Amino acid sequence: PGEKVCDFIPDCVDRSDETSCGACQFEDEDNHQFTCGWSDSSAGQYQWVLVQANQAGDNGPGNDHDTQTAFGHYWAVEAYDGTMNTAARLMSPTMRQASASCQIRSDVTACVGELSLYVRQGTRETAVWKLLQEDFPYNWNYQSVSLGRIEGEFEMLFYASRLAFDVVGSIAIDDVSFVNCDLDPVESDCGDYKRCDRGSCVPRWEICDFTDNCGDRSDELNCDDYTRCSFEDETFCMFSNERVTGETAPNRDHTTNSDVGHYITVTTNRPNFKGINLSPVFEPTTGESTCFFIFYAHLTDQIEGGGLSVYYRTESGGNLNLLWQRSDKTTFFARFNLDLNKIFDQPWQLVIVAKVGGQSYGDITIDDLVFREGCTISAEQSLPRGTTPIPTPSPCPGDQMVCNDGSCVDTELWCDFKSDCADGSDETACGDCDFEDSSCGWSDWSSGHYKWNRENATIVVDPLGPSTDGSGNANGFFMHVDATQSTFLASAELMSPPFGQTGLACTMSFMHYQGGSAHSGITMLDCNFDVDTCGWFNYQHDDFDWKRKPGTDDILNTGPSYDHTQGGSGEYMFIDAGSRLQPDLTAVLTTMNQTAMPGNGKCITFWYHMYGPSIGTLNLEIKRWGKSTDGPDEWKLIWAETGTQGNMWKQARVHEWSTYYDWQLRFVAFRGGFDGDIAIDDNECNFEANKCNWKDGDGDYTWWTEKAEGAGDYRPPVDHTSLSPAGSYLYNGAYTHNTPGTKCRLVTHVFPKSDADCLQFWYYMYGKTDDNNPGTLNVYKRLDDLSIDKLVWSLSGNQGDLWEFASVTVSSDQPFSIIIEAVIADVVDPYSSAVDDVIINQGACAPKGNCDFEAGLCGWHNTYGEGDDFDWIWSSGATPSAYTGPTADHTTGTDEGHYLYVESTSLNLGGENARLTSEKFMATVGTCLQFWYHMRGVSTGELNVLIQTEYG
């Protein structure tokens, strides 16, 4: 039936009844534009158009939001057309029956004019959100707007208005979604809940609360036992006050969710105004009744003491006792529920106080006040007279607060994380808390039945609750939420006292306990980036940002086509080298300050993806706080990788750094050029950490593992793994153990007998002069039962100032071990030999220089240094640029085979070189080089083969 189309509930098996219903990224499966039912309905020349980012020009940003590429689509208004009094209108398809929890979410960017969102029902349009020019985001910015319950058919309208034509500017919208908009499903059994007429179920505490939770208003019938006020008759019902309105108040009320409804409000056009509402007088509560006060409030952020407060009093003119308070903003009308049981043993009255702060814009608005059936109005509507005690005058002026010793400090210094009172009393109720004696200023700000309470471990009734506090004390106290008393998607808010300014490295630490099988959460540093960035954030003073997204990210397919965690639908963090930023800029992703954890050290494991012809560098750096007497340490490089690493996820581990001091991590990505992306995923914390499972052998001394940083002349300045000073390798410390002929040995575990295994490794043997000879590097096979060592590979003397590749086939008819040995040369000042990236694979090694590239690059490698401008790329299948590269490799003839290629399409690389270097060959009378090549395209350039000898 037509009334079930676009009602947020899929009725068709293939969900086709909900596919063109407003929720849209404006791309179809083939990356073509797709409207999802949105259309321009402007009356004039100023119109919305669906554009591709690379064709937008001045009409919008160079990338869309969801694909973050120039090939994605979004809606934008023309930058030049129209008049100042004509708005462009973008209209959604007709939708039906939005629930009370419905939200519309979108990403917008704008730099001129105004952007508004309206709900249209019939001919009536109600504004629900507006973005003013002074608040426009420079980049794509996420917006979430609460729509609330909308009965029947409706459309959403985005209005864009120009305020001037003396500047070029654009307004754009992308990634529209509707969240929690479907009505509750029909249930066969409602248990203790109320059954709605349409068959769904609602909790009994949501009955008669002025919210249509059923979707048919049957939960808002038969409410005579409740004391309620919606202000719709333009009176205060049984409350007493004056009605105040203002231009900054909400555009709709809560009762009708439209601009025809009513509420009471105070606005900032009356600064420092205090509005007071007095409830009727009620009878004492029995402690067993269900007396709750429900109300809906809309606030903008209040400053200088502004906010909404609820007090109670038992005497006219007597003390006001605070029950609830709020000064930060709410979304639309937030629902609040105050438990009034077990409080009053005499007649009482609520006093609602709205105090306007000193800000220039905003409001405090309330609507739909409800006292549930357990609150009984007293026949006597006057309280006994009381007197308000004369307050003791403060010894401090108005902008200061008094310390416990009677001295004064500025209000802004209270709770600023350093003691300004001589007795430290300005920091005693500022959030640090073990909850043993009190809540230390923390308070519950929850709006429903899901609440925080300070509880003792011995009396927790929640069957899923903890049996001890965080220190293991079975009689200890903690703040606790009983999840069994909640509803799905409910949240409980625990609010700290107000703090002063914090530094960037400010860290909050706490113990937490989560019981039960359902997911209720406290956000933490381990992260797979599928939901959010956890405790990682973009540094505010770098050049551009890391972004979280799924899928391949540009037309050259240099970004991952899947995340590492899920292998498909998950997300990861990446930087886009294909954007319009210049090379050599940096994007920094950092943690907050982390608490010291002495012991065995910390480990971070992560997966990274670096692919493209002009990839830059990815660094991981650490800063330790407190180690230096002059402040925090400088950032120290602990891992790095440079250049393309193939179209694959690779794992990195960095561990055993000192954690005796507070510490902080950051990933720093350097753009190398315009084509290629860097991504990371699955943060958990090759000689990088230790000697792996190799053991020191029967030599004169032992091999060392050391970072390349600070190497000096005696050992390599970079490792081979990362080609950076942050990497580690194995070396023999010749400048310390310089007795000629002495040796150090490293031995593997025992391998089973084998017809052929291939040992591969990288070595560095360099000395500036003959007096710096690095000695000899040997590889032995040791038979396990005979302890016989057989030499299988050896090399002596200066091999040049670079890492070289070596491989050797090892076979044995009995179990064996591998030994790597370094021997000190008989010279005045010997330099060290070093080894890195050792691997043993099953099967014989390929002859030197031979490679089909199915398992990697063998001994071939991208050249780094003078004469090399970008990289060869290891890949499979078709190349990213269409119609120029191969669609399969030569070895297997399939899209699963691998090959090396250089991408030159649209990269403006004329005159630049990508050099691929083989391993070193010994002198030969003659050698034949054979290879297969593929060159196609208008501007392919040249492919050359060069020979380099020690003579040039």
Side-chain angles (χ1 to χ4, degrees), residues 104-142:
I104 181 174
R105 298 177 179 178
S106 61
D107 288 274
V108 303
T109 181
C111 57
V112 63
E114 290 182 353
L115 180 63
S116 306
L117 179 64
Y118 283 74
V119 174
R120 185 175 74 174
Q121 291 184 277
T123 59
R124 176 175 290 277
E125 296 181 1
T126 302
V128 295
W129 173 82
K130 177 181 284 187
L131 190 63
L132 303 177
Q133 181 164 318
E134 57 265 29
D135 300 322
F136 274 166
Y138 178 73
N139 295 310
W140 286 110
N141 188 267
Y142 169 80

Short mmCIF file of all heavy atoms in Angstrom, two decimals, residues 104-142:
data_model
loop_
_atom_site.label_atom_id
_atom_site.label_comp_id
_atom_site.label_asym_id
_atom_site.label_seq_id
_atom_site.Cartn_x
_atom_site.Cartn_y
_atom_site.Cartn_z
N ILE A 104 17.33 13.74 11.56
CA ILE A 104 17.93 13.82 10.24
C ILE A 104 19.37 14.24 10.40
O ILE A 104 19.69 15.17 11.17
CB ILE A 104 17.17 14.81 9.31
CG1 ILE A 104 17.82 14.83 7.92
CG2 ILE A 104 17.05 16.18 9.92
CD1 ILE A 104 17.07 15.67 6.89
N ARG A 105 20.26 13.55 9.72
CA ARG A 105 21.69 13.85 9.81
C ARG A 105 22.22 14.13 8.40
O ARG A 105 21.79 13.50 7.44
CB ARG A 105 22.45 12.69 10.45
CG ARG A 105 22.00 12.39 11.88
CD ARG A 105 22.71 11.19 12.47
NE ARG A 105 22.27 10.94 13.83
CZ ARG A 105 22.69 9.93 14.59
NH1 ARG A 105 23.57 9.05 14.08
NH2 ARG A 105 22.24 9.77 15.81
N SER A 106 23.16 15.03 8.33
CA SER A 106 23.74 15.38 7.02
C SER A 106 25.10 16.00 7.24
O SER A 106 25.48 16.35 8.35
CB SER A 106 22.83 16.35 6.27
OG SER A 106 22.67 17.56 7.01
N ASP A 107 25.83 16.14 6.14
CA ASP A 107 27.10 16.86 6.15
C ASP A 107 26.95 18.06 5.24
O ASP A 107 26.49 17.94 4.09
CB ASP A 107 28.25 15.96 5.69
CG ASP A 107 28.60 14.92 6.73
OD1 ASP A 107 29.40 15.24 7.62
OD2 ASP A 107 28.05 13.82 6.66
N VAL A 108 27.32 19.22 5.74
CA VAL A 108 27.14 20.46 4.99
C VAL A 108 28.45 21.24 4.96
O VAL A 108 29.31 21.09 5.84
CB VAL A 108 26.03 21.35 5.59
CG1 VAL A 108 24.72 20.59 5.66
CG2 VAL A 108 26.41 21.86 6.97
N THR A 109 28.61 22.07 3.95
CA THR A 109 29.70 23.03 3.90
C THR A 109 29.16 24.28 3.23
O THR A 109 28.35 24.20 2.31
CB THR A 109 30.92 22.48 3.14
OG1 THR A 109 31.97 23.46 3.14
CG2 THR A 109 30.58 22.12 1.71
N ALA A 110 29.57 25.42 3.71
CA ALA A 110 29.03 26.68 3.20
C ALA A 110 29.99 27.81 3.55
O ALA A 110 30.77 27.71 4.50
CB ALA A 110 27.65 26.95 3.79
N CYS A 111 29.93 28.88 2.77
CA CYS A 111 30.78 30.03 3.07
C CYS A 111 30.09 31.35 2.77
O CYS A 111 30.70 32.40 2.85
CB CYS A 111 32.10 29.94 2.31
SG CYS A 111 31.93 29.80 0.54
N VAL A 112 28.79 31.32 2.40
CA VAL A 112 28.09 32.57 2.13
C VAL A 112 26.59 32.32 2.29
O VAL A 112 26.09 31.23 1.98
CB VAL A 112 28.39 33.08 0.70
CG1 VAL A 112 27.91 32.12 -0.35
CG2 VAL A 112 27.83 34.47 0.49
N GLY A 113 25.86 33.31 2.83
CA GLY A 113 24.42 33.21 2.93
C GLY A 113 23.94 32.50 4.17
O GLY A 113 24.59 32.52 5.23
N GLU A 114 22.78 31.82 4.08
CA GLU A 114 22.17 31.08 5.18
C GLU A 114 21.63 29.76 4.65
O GLU A 114 21.24 29.64 3.49
CB GLU A 114 21.03 31.87 5.82
CG GLU A 114 21.47 33.08 6.61
CD GLU A 114 20.30 33.79 7.27
OE1 GLU A 114 19.12 33.41 7.01
OE2 GLU A 114 20.56 34.74 8.04
N LEU A 115 21.61 28.76 5.53
CA LEU A 115 21.07 27.45 5.19
C LEU A 115 20.06 27.07 6.26
O LEU A 115 20.37 27.10 7.45
CB LEU A 115 22.18 26.41 5.11
CG LEU A 115 21.77 24.98 4.76
CD1 LEU A 115 21.15 24.93 3.36
CD2 LEU A 115 22.96 24.03 4.83
N SER A 116 18.84 26.72 5.85
CA SER A 116 17.76 26.39 6.79
C SER A 116 17.14 25.06 6.41
O SER A 116 17.18 24.63 5.25
CB SER A 116 16.67 27.47 6.78
OG SER A 116 17.20 28.75 7.02
N LEU A 117 16.55 24.40 7.41
CA LEU A 117 15.85 23.14 7.20
C LEU A 117 14.43 23.28 7.72
O LEU A 117 14.22 23.72 8.86
CB LEU A 117 16.57 21.99 7.91
CG LEU A 117 15.93 20.61 7.81
CD1 LEU A 117 15.92 20.13 6.36
CD2 LEU A 117 16.67 19.61 8.71
N TYR A 118 13.44 22.91 6.91
CA TYR A 118 12.03 23.01 7.27
C TYR A 118 11.36 21.65 7.12
O TYR A 118 11.78 20.82 6.30
CB TYR A 118 11.30 24.01 6.37
CG TYR A 118 11.56 25.46 6.69
CD1 TYR A 118 12.77 26.06 6.37
CD2 TYR A 118 10.58 26.24 7.30
CE1 TYR A 118 13.01 27.40 6.66
CE2 TYR A 118 10.80 27.58 7.60
CZ TYR A 118 12.02 28.15 7.27
OH TYR A 118 12.25 29.48 7.56
N VAL A 119 10.29 21.45 7.91
CA VAL A 119 9.38 20.32 7.70
C VAL A 119 8.10 20.89 7.09
O VAL A 119 7.54 21.87 7.59
CB VAL A 119 9.04 19.63 9.03
CG1 VAL A 119 7.97 18.55 8.81
CG2 VAL A 119 10.28 19.00 9.64
N ARG A 120 7.65 20.29 5.98
CA ARG A 120 6.41 20.73 5.35
C ARG A 120 5.36 19.64 5.49
O ARG A 120 5.59 18.48 5.13
CB ARG A 120 6.63 21.05 3.87
CG ARG A 120 5.35 21.62 3.23
CD ARG A 120 5.59 22.06 1.80
NE ARG A 120 5.70 20.94 0.89
CZ ARG A 120 5.81 21.08 -0.44
NH1 ARG A 120 5.84 22.30 -0.96
NH2 ARG A 120 5.92 20.03 -1.21
N GLN A 121 4.19 20.03 6.03
CA GLN A 121 3.03 19.16 6.10
C GLN A 121 1.88 19.89 5.43
O GLN A 121 1.41 20.92 5.94
CB GLN A 121 2.67 18.82 7.54
CG GLN A 121 3.69 17.91 8.21
CD GLN A 121 3.26 17.50 9.61
OE1 GLN A 121 3.46 18.25 10.56
NE2 GLN A 121 2.68 16.31 9.73
N GLY A 122 1.46 19.39 4.28
CA GLY A 122 0.46 20.11 3.52
C GLY A 122 1.06 21.40 3.00
O GLY A 122 2.07 21.41 2.30
N THR A 123 0.42 22.52 3.38
CA THR A 123 0.94 23.83 2.96
C THR A 123 1.72 24.52 4.06
O THR A 123 2.30 25.58 3.83
CB THR A 123 -0.22 24.73 2.53
OG1 THR A 123 -1.13 24.90 3.63
CG2 THR A 123 -0.95 24.13 1.33
N ARG A 124 1.78 23.93 5.28
CA ARG A 124 2.47 24.57 6.39
C ARG A 124 3.92 24.12 6.44
O ARG A 124 4.21 22.92 6.38
CB ARG A 124 1.77 24.26 7.72
CG ARG A 124 2.52 24.82 8.94
CD ARG A 124 1.73 24.60 10.21
NE ARG A 124 0.54 25.44 10.23
CZ ARG A 124 0.54 26.71 10.61
NH1 ARG A 124 1.67 27.30 10.99
NH2 ARG A 124 -0.57 27.40 10.60
N GLU A 125 4.84 25.08 6.58
CA GLU A 125 6.27 24.79 6.69
C GLU A 125 6.76 25.29 8.05
O GLU A 125 6.51 26.45 8.42
CB GLU A 125 7.05 25.47 5.56
CG GLU A 125 6.68 24.94 4.19
CD GLU A 125 7.48 25.60 3.07
OE1 GLU A 125 8.34 26.46 3.38
OE2 GLU A 125 7.24 25.27 1.89
N THR A 126 7.46 24.43 8.78
CA THR A 126 7.98 24.75 10.12
C THR A 126 9.49 24.63 10.12
O THR A 126 10.03 23.58 9.76
CB THR A 126 7.39 23.81 11.19
OG1 THR A 126 5.96 23.90 11.17
CG2 THR A 126 7.90 24.19 12.57
N ALA A 127 10.17 25.70 10.51
CA ALA A 127 11.63 25.68 10.58
C ALA A 127 12.09 24.82 11.75
O ALA A 127 11.58 24.94 12.86
CB ALA A 127 12.17 27.10 10.74
N VAL A 128 13.04 23.94 11.50
CA VAL A 128 13.57 23.08 12.56
C VAL A 128 15.07 23.29 12.80
O VAL A 128 15.62 22.80 13.77
CB VAL A 128 13.31 21.59 12.26
CG1 VAL A 128 11.82 21.30 12.26
CG2 VAL A 128 13.94 21.17 10.93
N TRP A 129 15.73 24.03 11.89
CA TRP A 129 17.18 24.22 12.04
C TRP A 129 17.62 25.34 11.11
O TRP A 129 17.05 25.52 10.03
CB TRP A 129 17.91 22.92 11.70
CG TRP A 129 19.40 23.00 11.65
CD1 TRP A 129 20.27 22.94 12.70
CD2 TRP A 129 20.22 23.12 10.46
NE1 TRP A 129 21.57 23.02 12.25
CE2 TRP A 129 21.57 23.13 10.88
CE3 TRP A 129 19.93 23.22 9.11
CZ2 TRP A 129 22.62 23.23 9.99
CZ3 TRP A 129 20.98 23.32 8.22
CH2 TRP A 129 22.31 23.33 8.66
N LYS A 130 18.61 26.11 11.56
CA LYS A 130 19.16 27.17 10.73
C LYS A 130 20.64 27.31 11.01
O LYS A 130 21.07 27.25 12.16
CB LYS A 130 18.46 28.51 10.98
CG LYS A 130 19.05 29.67 10.17
CD LYS A 130 18.34 30.98 10.46
CE LYS A 130 17.01 31.02 9.77
NZ LYS A 130 16.36 32.36 9.89
N LEU A 131 21.43 27.49 9.94
CA LEU A 131 22.86 27.73 10.06
C LEU A 131 23.13 29.12 9.51
O LEU A 131 22.92 29.39 8.32
CB LEU A 131 23.65 26.68 9.27
CG LEU A 131 25.17 26.66 9.48
CD1 LEU A 131 25.51 26.32 10.93
CD2 LEU A 131 25.82 25.66 8.55
N LEU A 132 23.58 30.02 10.40
CA LEU A 132 23.84 31.39 10.01
C LEU A 132 25.21 31.52 9.38
O LEU A 132 26.10 30.69 9.60
CB LEU A 132 23.72 32.31 11.22
CG LEU A 132 22.38 32.27 11.96
CD1 LEU A 132 22.42 33.16 13.19
CD2 LEU A 132 21.25 32.69 11.04
N GLN A 133 25.42 32.58 8.61
CA GLN A 133 26.67 32.76 7.88
C GLN A 133 27.87 32.79 8.82
O GLN A 133 28.91 32.22 8.52
CB GLN A 133 26.63 34.05 7.06
CG GLN A 133 27.91 34.29 6.24
CD GLN A 133 27.70 35.32 5.16
OE1 GLN A 133 26.68 35.33 4.48
NE2 GLN A 133 28.68 36.20 4.99
N GLU A 134 27.73 33.41 10.01
CA GLU A 134 28.88 33.51 10.92
C GLU A 134 29.24 32.16 11.53
O GLU A 134 30.32 32.00 12.09
CB GLU A 134 28.59 34.51 12.04
CG GLU A 134 27.35 34.21 12.85
CD GLU A 134 26.13 34.96 12.35
OE1 GLU A 134 26.06 35.26 11.12
OE2 GLU A 134 25.24 35.26 13.16
N ASP A 135 28.36 31.16 11.41
CA ASP A 135 28.63 29.84 11.96
C ASP A 135 28.98 28.81 10.90
O ASP A 135 29.11 27.63 11.19
CB ASP A 135 27.40 29.33 12.74
CG ASP A 135 27.04 30.24 13.90
OD1 ASP A 135 27.96 30.74 14.55
OD2 ASP A 135 25.83 30.44 14.13
N PHE A 136 29.13 29.27 9.64
CA PHE A 136 29.37 28.31 8.56
C PHE A 136 30.68 27.56 8.75
O PHE A 136 31.70 28.16 9.09
CB PHE A 136 29.41 29.03 7.21
CG PHE A 136 28.06 29.22 6.58
CD1 PHE A 136 27.90 30.09 5.53
CD2 PHE A 136 26.96 28.52 7.04
CE1 PHE A 136 26.65 30.27 4.94
CE2 PHE A 136 25.72 28.68 6.47
CZ PHE A 136 25.57 29.55 5.41
N PRO A 137 30.67 26.24 8.53
CA PRO A 137 31.91 25.45 8.57
C PRO A 137 32.71 25.65 7.29
O PRO A 137 32.15 25.77 6.20
CB PRO A 137 31.42 24.01 8.69
CG PRO A 137 30.09 24.03 7.99
CD PRO A 137 29.49 25.39 8.27
N TYR A 138 34.05 25.67 7.41
CA TYR A 138 34.91 25.83 6.23
C TYR A 138 34.97 24.54 5.42
O TYR A 138 34.97 24.56 4.20
CB TYR A 138 36.31 26.24 6.67
CG TYR A 138 37.29 26.38 5.53
CD1 TYR A 138 37.21 27.47 4.65
CD2 TYR A 138 38.28 25.43 5.31
CE1 TYR A 138 38.10 27.60 3.60
CE2 TYR A 138 39.17 25.56 4.26
CZ TYR A 138 39.08 26.65 3.41
OH TYR A 138 39.95 26.78 2.37
N ASN A 139 34.98 23.38 6.10
CA ASN A 139 35.01 22.10 5.43
C ASN A 139 33.69 21.38 5.67
O ASN A 139 32.78 21.90 6.31
CB ASN A 139 36.18 21.26 5.94
CG ASN A 139 37.52 21.88 5.61
OD1 ASN A 139 37.75 22.25 4.46
ND2 ASN A 139 38.39 22.02 6.60
N TRP A 140 33.58 20.15 5.18
CA TRP A 140 32.38 19.36 5.45
C TRP A 140 32.18 19.23 6.95
O TRP A 140 33.10 18.93 7.69
CB TRP A 140 32.51 17.97 4.83
CG TRP A 140 32.37 17.95 3.34
CD1 TRP A 140 33.35 17.71 2.42
CD2 TRP A 140 31.16 18.18 2.59
NE1 TRP A 140 32.84 17.77 1.15
CE2 TRP A 140 31.50 18.06 1.21
CE3 TRP A 140 29.85 18.47 2.93
CZ2 TRP A 140 30.56 18.22 0.20
CZ3 TRP A 140 28.92 18.63 1.92
CH2 TRP A 140 29.28 18.50 0.58
N ASN A 141 30.95 19.46 7.40
CA ASN A 141 30.66 19.49 8.82
C ASN A 141 29.39 18.69 9.09
O ASN A 141 28.37 18.87 8.42
CB ASN A 141 30.50 20.94 9.28
CG ASN A 141 30.40 21.06 10.79
OD1 ASN A 141 29.30 21.06 11.33
ND2 ASN A 141 31.53 21.16 11.45
N TYR A 142 29.45 17.83 10.09
CA TYR A 142 28.33 16.95 10.44
C TYR A 142 27.26 17.73 11.21
O TYR A 142 27.58 18.49 12.13
CB TYR A 142 28.86 15.79 11.27
CG TYR A 142 27.81 14.93 11.94
CD1 TYR A 142 27.14 13.95 11.22
CD2 TYR A 142 27.50 15.10 13.29
CE1 TYR A 142 26.18 13.15 11.84
CE2 TYR A 142 26.55 14.31 13.90
CZ TYR A 142 25.90 13.34 13.17
OH TYR A 142 24.95 12.55 13.78
#
